[in-house]
Amino acid sequence: MIIGLTGENCAGKSTVAEHLKKKSFYFYSLSDIIREELRAEGKAITRENLIEKGNALRQAHGPGALGQRMVEKIQEDKNYVIDSIRNPAEVEELKKLGRFYLIHITAPQEVRFERTKKRQREEDPQTFDAFVEIEKIEMENEDKTKQNLLGTFALADKKINNAGSMDMLHDQINATLAELSDEFKLIRPSWDEYFMSIAKVVATRSNCMKRKVAAIIVKDKRIVSTGYNGTPRGIKNCSDGGCPRCNNFTESGKGLEDCVCSHGEENAIVQAAYHGISIKNTTIYTTFSPCIICTKMIINAGIKEVVYNVDYPVAKVPMELLKEAGIKVRQHKIE
């Protein structure tokens, strides 16, 4: 899941981010993107400069510019907390990720000003009136390229009032995570999708000029052997001219006796034998249905099930043989 944080100054966004970091959330801040720009220009990192530079970046690259840059950093296998979201367009960009949840952290203005004074930053406003005045600049703008906190708050999925103790804030965040755990349940691929996807990746290693094919042999939901089509070990790769038939792009099903390449299923079976691994009662996942030669090897190797993605051009006889041999055959097609 990706949790976005928005809120007024000193509402407690950083405190929430620190709490989530302890729970293995990876932290990013949109303000860090602006800070990098200011450092590159040799400018001081003040609140006024951050606001001005953020607005300039949105004006130059669009209202959602900071959100777009952040999306590029996100990886699908991690949970994230993203701080300093200050424009509705940034929210829209992050929501395109499909697993984004925005939380508005807020607190009374007087409470937040007291927190500002306690942190004793030189660049912070020293009076309550100055604090209020700066906040007005951030809250709402007709110009879509500028900060618009009110518009951003309106898009929040949840609002948390941080006017109490640290423990109370942590309890609220923990309760929110519990709610999200049900909403953002992991979508895992089925075993068929998992193994067929791996077979397709294995096929990218093929050196055959005509088509890239691969097979993996699975036992007890564990891969015991893989194979892709290409010339035998120590022979010039097909893609380097090692197989005259493939390099002449001979019509499918013809001249097979002249083909130097081994098929993916053939190589997966032979590799298991080479390493002394039994493949009796296993399942073979192959990106194409097997040819007649590979079919005979599958039967004699004791493989009990064939799962294939795409039909091989010459498939009728192999399918009949597999059926007669009592081997289960299924098609599981993935793009």
Side-chain angles (χ1 to χ4, degrees):
M1 67 182 75
I2 304 166
I3 294 179
L5 301 178
T6 188
E8 301 88 345
N9 193 36
C10 278
K13 300 184 297 297
S14 297
T15 303
V16 172
E18 287 299 320
H19 185 60
L20 291 174
K21 283 164 66 176
K22 293 176 182 177
K23 296 178 179 292
S24 299
F25 280 74
Y26 288 78
F27 174 76
Y28 281 129
S29 171
L30 296 191
S31 293
D32 287 340
I33 297 172
I34 305 172
R35 289 187 181 94
E36 289 171 6
E37 295 282 338
L38 289 175
R39 290 190 188 99
E41 296 174 3
K43 294 183 178 179
I45 310 297
T46 66
R47 190 174 173 191
E48 289 83 354
N49 283 347
L50 286 167
I51 293 172
E52 183 181 347
K53 189 61 184 179
N55 291 339
L57 287 171
R58 297 185 192 97
Q59 190 168 14
H61 305 289
L66 298 180
Q68 290 169 358
R69 293 195 187 186
M70 186 56 61
V71 166
E72 294 171 0
K73 298 176 180 286
I74 299 299
Q75 299 175 15
E76 289 192 5
D77 60 344
K78 296 181 176 69
N79 292 327
Y80 291 91
V81 54
I82 300 174
D83 192 9
S84 300
I85 300 169
R86 299 173 180 275
N87 186 289
E90 294 163 358
V91 179
E92 296 303 326
E93 290 296 329
L94 291 165
K95 281 191 172 182
K96 291 177 182 178
L97 292 166
R99 52 196 178 104
F100 178 77
Y101 190 91
L102 183 65
I103 301 177
H104 174 198
I105 310 296
T106 190
Q109 208 167 38
E110 293 78 6
V111 172
R112 292 187 288 105
F113 177 61
E114 288 303 315
R115 291 174 183 167
T116 302
K117 290 196 297 183
K118 286 181 181 178
R119 71 183 183 183
Q120 295 181 335
R121 289 184 185 174
E122 187 176 338
E123 68 272 15
D124 281 338
Q126 300 303 306
T127 66
F128 182 70
D129 288 342
F131 180 82
V132 171
E133 192 61 33
I134 291 177
E135 198 157 86
K136 285 181 181 177
I137 299 172
E138 300 176 318
M139 280 298 161
E140 192 170 15
N141 282 288
E142 292 184 4
D143 186 344
K144 292 183 178 180
T145 64
K146 293 185 177 181
Q147 288 192 20
N148 184 348
L149 285 177
L150 288 180
T152 306
F153 298 163
L155 297 176
D157 299 288
K158 187 174 183 65
K159 183 177 181 179
I160 291 178
N161 192 325
N162 179 30
S165 67
M166 188 84 74
D167 287 341
M168 289 176 62
L169 177 61
H170 289 171
D171 287 344
Q172 291 184 81
I173 294 299
N174 292 342
T176 300
L177 286 179
E179 294 171 11
L180 290 178
S181 294
D182 288 331
E183 185 173 341
F184 289 95
K185 285 191 180 296
L186 292 174
I187 300 173
R188 302 171 70 195
S190 68
W191 286 111
D192 282 344
E193 290 170 326
Y194 174 69
F195 290 125
M196 192 62 77
S197 296
I198 292 173
K200 291 192 71 175
V201 173
V202 174
T204 63
R205 281 287 302 165
S206 168
N207 62 66
C208 183
M209 288 294 293
K210 291 200 69 176
R211 62 169 58 91
K212 294 182 180 294
V213 183
I216 64 172
I217 299 175
V218 175
K219 187 172 186 177
D220 298 329
K221 295 186 173 60
R222 296 293 181 267
I223 297 169
V224 295
S225 183
T226 68
Y228 51 84
N229 62 325
T231 50
R233 184 184 285 110
I235 306 300
K236 184 189 294 185
N237 286 341
C238 178
S239 54
D240 295 326
C243 180
R245 176 186 177 274
C246 291
N247 280 269
N248 288 330
F249 290 92
T250 304
E251 186 178 337
S252 294
K254 294 185 178 180
L256 294 175
E257 67 278 3
D258 298 322
C259 185
V260 177
C261 291
S262 298
H263 288 189
E265 303 95 320
E266 180 183 357
N267 276 332
I269 292 168
V270 170
Q271 284 301 309
Y274 183 85
H275 292 286
I277 299 170
S278 172
I279 56 174
K280 185 179 179 181
N281 295 325
T282 56
T283 297
I284 188 167
Y285 286 83
T286 178
T287 56
F288 277 81
S289 61
C291 71
I292 190 165
I293 295 174
C294 291
T295 295
K296 290 186 288 185
M297 294 183 71
I298 288 168
I299 293 170
N300 286 338
I303 293 172
K304 67 178 182 180
E305 183 178 28
V306 175
V307 185
Y308 69 95
N309 185 32
V310 179
D311 288 299
Y312 187 67
V314 186
K316 183 179 178 182
V317 174
M319 287 298 178
E320 290 174 350
L321 285 176
L322 290 168
K323 182 178 180 181
E324 185 178 345
I327 295 174
K328 184 178 180 181
V329 180
R330 297 185 291 114
Q331 183 177 26
H332 184 82
K333 196 167 185 177
I334 63 174
E335 295 297 328

